[in-house]
Amino acid sequence: MPRVKLYRFTDNASRPDIIEPGKPEYEQLGGRWRTDFFQAPNPVTLEVGCGKGEYTVGLAQRHPSRNFLGLDIKGERIWRGSTRAAEMGLTNVGFVRMRAEALAAQFGPGELDEIWITFPDPRPRDRDIKRRLTSPRFLGLYEQLLVAGGLLHLKTDNEGLFEYTLETLAARLGTTVERFTRNLYAETAPEFTEAQAIQTNFESKYRAVGVPIKYVQFRLT
């Protein structure tokens, strides 16, 4: 393992804003994230597959009266997000190192107010459909963890995943799609402002070569 990566993994173990396997708090915060981790009764927003934490940190900066968590399995990635949050002096943001499939072990029913899914792996092969973060399997999981009528967002550059998501939502009873667009940055309506306000490095690169960014906002009611 490269020395820099090893250092970051070791550093993660001492950072209070990173929850990961091996720490006493891991799998013990379910239902108590507001009181025991954030120590603030504010709404909790989760970014699933946060990568380097650019979106999680950006949201935390924009909304200081809310709590934000970034989830990713890669320890080096969340180290970067944690570092950036510390440099900005943010206290309303944290990171969880785990797989999305295990969300129910980490959060209590109705504990989340909002979920962002930003540029996930599209899993294009048919055999990987169940691993798509907007598959019925994951939507059912999100519904358990969100408050009633909690809000979800998807941003993606992948047309196949976007169309799959729209079809899946249309087929699901009790789902309300509030807005969607196949070209987010061509929109001028204020309803799209929040989704336009933050751009990851990955997103900017796709925009630079003319790839339209797709976006959908919905509720699992």
Side-chain angles (χ1 to χ4, degrees), residues 111-168:
E111 187 164 25
L112 301 176
D113 296 88
E114 188 174 27
I115 292 175
W116 281 83
I117 308 166
T118 53
F119 302 94
D121 187 335
R123 306 287 183 186
R125 295 179 296 185
D126 289 343
R127 69 182 184 182
D128 286 338
I129 285 178
K130 290 184 179 180
R131 300 178 67 190
R132 295 173 186 170
L133 291 182
T134 54
S135 68
R137 169 196 181 193
F138 277 102
L139 293 179
L141 182 56
Y142 303 149
E143 186 175 26
Q144 294 177 38
L145 305 181
L146 283 164
V147 297
L151 197 60
L152 296 98
H153 313 258
L154 168 70
K155 288 179 76 173
T156 180
D157 61 286
N158 189 274
E159 184 175 352
L161 176 64
F162 188 69
E163 296 304 326
Y164 166 82
T165 301
L166 293 181
E167 292 171 5
T168 302

Side-chain angles (χ1 to χ4, degrees), residues 36-58:
D36 293 9
F37 183 79
F38 289 108
Q39 299 181 4
N42 299 327
V44 178
T45 295
L46 174 71
E47 182 187 4
V48 180
C50 70
K52 298 176 183 178
E54 295 161 297
Y55 222 89
T56 300
V57 173

Side-chain angles (χ1 to χ4, degrees), residues 8 11-12 15 17-19 47 49-61 68-72 74-96:
R8 290 173 178 175
D11 199 26
N12 284 352
R15 294 194 176 195
D17 63 332
I18 294 178
I19 303 299
E47 182 187 4
C50 70
K52 298 176 183 178
E54 295 161 297
Y55 222 89
T56 300
V57 173
L59 288 169
Q61 183 183 30
F68 294 89
L69 286 168
L71 181 150
D72 204 282
K74 300 291 187 179
E76 187 180 23
R77 292 176 183 175
I78 61 176
W79 180 90
R80 291 175 181 270
S82 170
T83 299
R84 187 178 182 192
E87 290 173 349
M88 298 172 69
L90 299 175
T91 59
N92 62 328
V93 58
F95 295 89
V96 189

